[in-house]
């Protein structure tokens, strides 16, 4: 009997010692991981903020009910979690834009007021910091992939034959290779806007580009970058910016929603539609209309471009079948 009493006494001492050891363990811990994602801050912020109804990591048990308060700004997202295991914890996302267009993303969990049982588990089996750190790294890799998928999404839709109203426009003509075509377009459209602002000319629509010559194999073009206006403008003879007029026309319309890098496929879709439907492109140059301003829309998946290929209008003849 004495043996069992001594054993119980020793177990009690061990239990008390363990309880004291657990009690003096830190009541908090912090885990933080950082990565750089090749995407604008606004795109990453939008994706993360859309998913804040649940924590990305596997740290929290599925059975736990978490009370969440979410505070958002353009640069960070803070979430306050409470549960039986951790009385107070703050999950922080911080987004910092870099000069090269990428974004540094930092994810931090600041856990406070750990429960006694959680501290005991950490004391006996080691804390979860290393595991959670690896989970954070995995989650940031997953976020990087999700951002890439979001930015690469695109759709091409054949709208069919439509009437394009035409009208006056300011323009500048230039040749370009496929490698710098987008940059050249953007630069010339900005020059047109500056010219129009100086001369108090008001745009009547979104910028567009007329393709005078297109090399399907190399992608090289001669193009007129233009902005529509309501009426004719007289410009100086030595001006490199001119005023033109586009006739009203029937045209095949194809819409691309997505990055301009997908325009080659959109044009191929348009040409295939012409061929499959026995439609003939007219001598009038085809053109693209940029329906929204890409400089103000960080995610290229939301850019909108309409392709117009003017077509030859078929004149239907009615045979006279009247008999006498």
């Amino acid at each position: 009997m004495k043996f069992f009493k001594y054993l119980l006494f020793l177990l009690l001492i061990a239990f008390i010692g363990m309880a004291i050891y657990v009690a003096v363990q830190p009541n908090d811990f912090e885990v933080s991981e950082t990565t750089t994602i090749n995407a604008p801050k606004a795109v990453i912020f939008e994706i993360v903020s859309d998913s804040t109804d649940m924590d990305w990591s596997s740290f929290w048990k599925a059975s736990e009910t978490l009370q969440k308060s979410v505070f958002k700004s353009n640069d960070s997202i803070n979430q306050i979690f409470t549960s039986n295991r951790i009385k107070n914890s703050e999950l922080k996302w911080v987004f910092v834009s870099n000069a090269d267009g990428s974004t540094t993303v930092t994810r931090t969990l600041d856990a406070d007021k750990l429960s006694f049982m959680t501290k005991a588990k950490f004391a006996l089996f080691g804390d979860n910091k290393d595991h959670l750190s690896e989970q954070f790294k995995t989650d940031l890799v997953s976020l990087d992939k999700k951002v890439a998928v979001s930015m690469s999404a695109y759709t091409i839709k054949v709208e069919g034959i439509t009437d394009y109203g035409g009208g006056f426009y300011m323009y500048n003509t230039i040749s370009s290779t496929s490698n710098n075509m987008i940059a050249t377009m953007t630069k010339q459209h900005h020059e047109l806007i500056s010219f129009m602002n100086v001369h108090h000319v008001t745009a009547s629509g979104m910028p567009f580009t007329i393709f005078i010559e297109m090399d399907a194999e190399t992608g090289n073009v001669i193009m007129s970058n233009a902005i529509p206006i309501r009426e004719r403008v007289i410009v100086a003879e030595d001006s490199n910016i001119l005023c033109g007029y586009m006739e009203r026309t029937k045209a095949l319309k194809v819409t691309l929603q997505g990055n301009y890098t997908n325009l080659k496929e959109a044009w191929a879709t348009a040409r295939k539609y012409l061929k499959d439907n026995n439609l003939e492109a007219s001598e009038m140059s085809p053109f693209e209309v940029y329906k929204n301003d890409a400089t103000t829309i960080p995610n290229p998946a939301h850019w909108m471009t309409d392709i117009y290929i003017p077509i030859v209008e078929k004149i239907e003849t009615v045979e006279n079948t009247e008999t006498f």
Side-chain angles (χ1 to χ4, degrees), residues 11 39 41 51 54 59 69 74 79 101 118 150 156 170 183 195 200 237 244 247 261 270 279 284 291 297 299 322 324:
L11 289 174
K41 178 174 65 176
S51 63
M54 61 182 296
F59 177 74
S69 298
N74 291 330
Q79 294 173 271
T118 300
S150 170
I156 297 172
M170 306 301 297
F195 177 90
H200 307 290
E237 292 184 0
E247 297 287 346
T261 55
L279 297 171
M284 187 173 176
K291 296 176 66 176
I297 301 174
N299 192 339
E322 184 178 356
F324 298 91

Side-chain angles (χ1 to χ4, degrees), residues 18 21-22 25-30 59 85-86 109 111 114-129 132:
M18 177 58 71
Y21 175 75
V22 171
Q25 295 302 303
N27 285 320
D28 57 11
F29 70 89
E30 180 180 290
F59 177 74
R85 294 186 299 155
I86 302 177
L109 176 63
L114 304 182
S115 70
F116 181 86
M117 293 304 297
T118 300
K119 291 168 64 175
K121 180 182 177 183
F122 286 180
L124 292 172
F125 305 106
D127 61 39
N128 281 23
K129 291 178 65 175
L132 192 56

Side-chain angles (χ1 to χ4, degrees), residues 210-215 220-223 285:
I210 303 170
F211 295 96
I212 300 169
E213 292 185 14
M214 301 178 71
D215 189 321
N220 298 339
V221 299
I222 297 176
M223 59 185 177
S285 297

Side-chain angles (χ1 to χ4, degrees), residues 249-264:
T249 184
K250 281 192 177 294
L252 170 64
K253 178 181 177 182
V254 174
T255 298
L256 166 68
Q257 178 174 333
N259 199 314
Y260 298 145
T261 55
N262 299 297
L263 277 168
K264 185 176 181 180

Side-chain angles (χ1 to χ4, degrees), residues 35-39 43-44 47-48 56 93 102-103 105 136-152:
T35 192
T36 299
I37 298 177
N38 188 26
V43 176
I44 303 171
I47 290 175
V48 174
W56 284 46
W93 292 86
S102 65
T103 302
V105 181
F136 274 23
K137 292 177 182 177
T138 300
D139 294 340
L140 289 173
V141 170
S142 176
L143 174 61
D144 193 349
K145 292 178 180 178
K146 189 170 184 178
V147 169
V149 169
S150 170
M151 294 179 64
S152 64

Side-chain angles (χ1 to χ4, degrees), residues 25-91:
Q25 295 302 303
N27 285 320
D28 57 11
F29 70 89
E30 180 180 290
V31 175
S32 184
E33 293 293 339
T34 298
T35 192
T36 299
I37 298 177
N38 188 26
K41 178 174 65 176
V43 176
I44 303 171
F45 178 87
E46 181 181 9
I47 290 175
V48 174
S49 62
D50 282 346
S51 63
T52 52
D53 57 332
M54 61 182 296
D55 182 34
W56 284 46
S57 76
S58 59
F59 177 74
W60 304 104
K61 295 179 180 179
S63 59
E64 281 187 319
T65 300
L66 305 179
Q67 298 177 359
K68 301 172 285 292
S69 298
V70 181
F71 306 90
K72 302 179 183 178
S73 69
N74 291 330
D75 301 314
S76 64
I77 299 174
N78 290 6
Q79 294 173 271
I80 306 300
F81 292 89
T82 59
S83 71
N84 293 329
R85 294 186 299 155
I86 302 177
K87 301 303 179 183
N88 183 34
S89 58
E90 184 178 15
L91 183 64

